[in-house]
Amino acid sequence: MIQYQVLNRTFSALSDHTRRDILTQLSRGPASVSELAGPSTMSLTGLKKHVQVLEEAGLVVTEKVGRTRVCRLGPDRLDEAAHWIDVFRARWEWCLRDHPGA
Amino acid sequence: MIQYQVLNRTFSALSDHTRRDILTQLSRGPASVSELAGPSTMSLTGLKKHVQVLEEAGLVVTEKVGRTRVCRLGPDRLDEAAHWIDVFRARWEWCLRDHPGA
């Protein structure tokens, strides 16, 4: 997959607060889909769809263990997204120095 | 606007490579919509829609100067987005130390 497509998919996956919450929960350790749902009012079906988006973006991996699907953080460490933002912010600072009124 | 909504809108604005290209171009200085279009095959109408999404996210501001609409980078420096990613990555590192197999 071309790099811009990877970034499109990563930023799109991050553009929903439920998906960001799932990532935050998994940063504390692996969890089943039911554990991720917790006391929230979201249906398991809705939650599974969010997990699938995260899985397609490489941010989460899931594995069937017995009758439970266990989710954990995936191989994508948001390196590309963090790098894009860092480069943009550095350029922006430079632009402000060069065009103070910009 | 609640913080999670700001993040939703920022990451959503960044999820399209044309919009990221516009931000990169504007990091070199202000530009009109026509200048942003350059030799690309995208219609001006299509480009204006992307600029509008960026404007709604606070990433770009536009100003009518005579018959030209000038675009420049807006007040949102992606601080919130960069912070969210930094915190997530730090937690993820911690998780890996605590759950080496995770």
Side-chain angles (χ1 to χ4, degrees), chain A residues 26 31 33 51-52 55 60-64 69-72:
Chain A
L26 292 179
V33 174
V51 168
Q52 194 180 347
E55 201 168 9
V60 163
V61 288
T62 70
E63 183 192 6
K64 194 90 175 165
R69 183 159 290 279
V70 175
C71 310
R72 64 192 78 228

Side-chain angles (χ1 to χ4, degrees), chain A residues 73 77 79 89 92-93, chain B residues 73 77 79 89 92-93:
Chain A
L73 292 180
R77 294 181 58 244
D79 287 339
R89 280 156 62 91
W92 193 84
E93 293 290 342
Chain B
L73 292 180
R77 294 180 58 246
D79 287 339
R89 280 155 63 90
W92 193 84
E93 295 290 341

Side-chain angles (χ1 to χ4, degrees), chain A residues 8-19:
Chain A
N8 287 359
R9 214 167 53 168
T10 303
F11 283 129
S12 182
L14 295 177
S15 70
D16 184 283
H17 73 281
T18 301
R19 291 197 287 269

Side-chain angles (χ1 to χ4, degrees), chain B residues 30-45:
Chain B
S32 69
V33 174
S34 310
E35 286 168 338
L36 287 176
S40 89
T41 54
M42 179 171 284
S43 70
L44 276 186
T45 309

